[in-house]
Amino acid sequence: MGSENPPIEILLAFMALQFLCIGFLFGNLRALAMEPVGHIAGIAAAITGFISTIMAVPISTFIGRYLKDTALPVFIGFSICSLVALLILFLPKA
């Protein structure tokens, strides 16, 4: 109690819940992203996978540099990335 890090059981439960939700959402959001290009779904899947990988590597590297003795950067990283994703998702379509 009162330490920088939560107990490992709580951390593992939180991360498992996070990754379950992310895994569920990614499949559905990718399907929505490829809806307009259904006639070339294979190419569209490759392109969206490439773009998400190109974005994920620098972001995870940046967050990973702050991991020293505490799990706080992971929580902050999830929060900021989730907020940015929600803002992008709810932007009005042009």
Side-chain angles (χ1 to χ4, degrees):
M1 197 97 184
S3 68
E4 288 185 11
N5 292 315
I8 191 71
E9 295 84 10
I10 293 175
L11 184 62
L12 287 176
F14 176 77
M15 291 297 173
L17 183 63
Q18 285 283 339
F19 287 121
L20 175 78
C21 293
I22 289 170
F24 180 73
L25 286 174
F26 273 3
N28 292 315
L29 289 176
R30 282 184 184 236
L32 286 173
M34 289 190 294
E35 188 178 359
V37 289
H39 59 287
I40 53 169
I43 297 290
I47 291 172
T48 58
F50 172 75
I51 291 171
S52 66
T53 301
I54 292 299
M55 290 173 57
V57 169
I59 292 170
S60 62
T61 303
F62 178 75
I63 293 170
R65 288 185 182 177
Y66 291 99
L67 290 175
K68 300 286 186 221
D69 298 326
T70 179
L72 186 61
V74 175
F75 290 100
I76 293 172
F78 269 125
S79 299
I80 291 172
C81 291
S82 299
L83 180 65
V84 169
L86 283 173
L87 289 174
I88 291 171
L89 186 64
F90 291 119
L91 278 177
K93 294 181 181 178

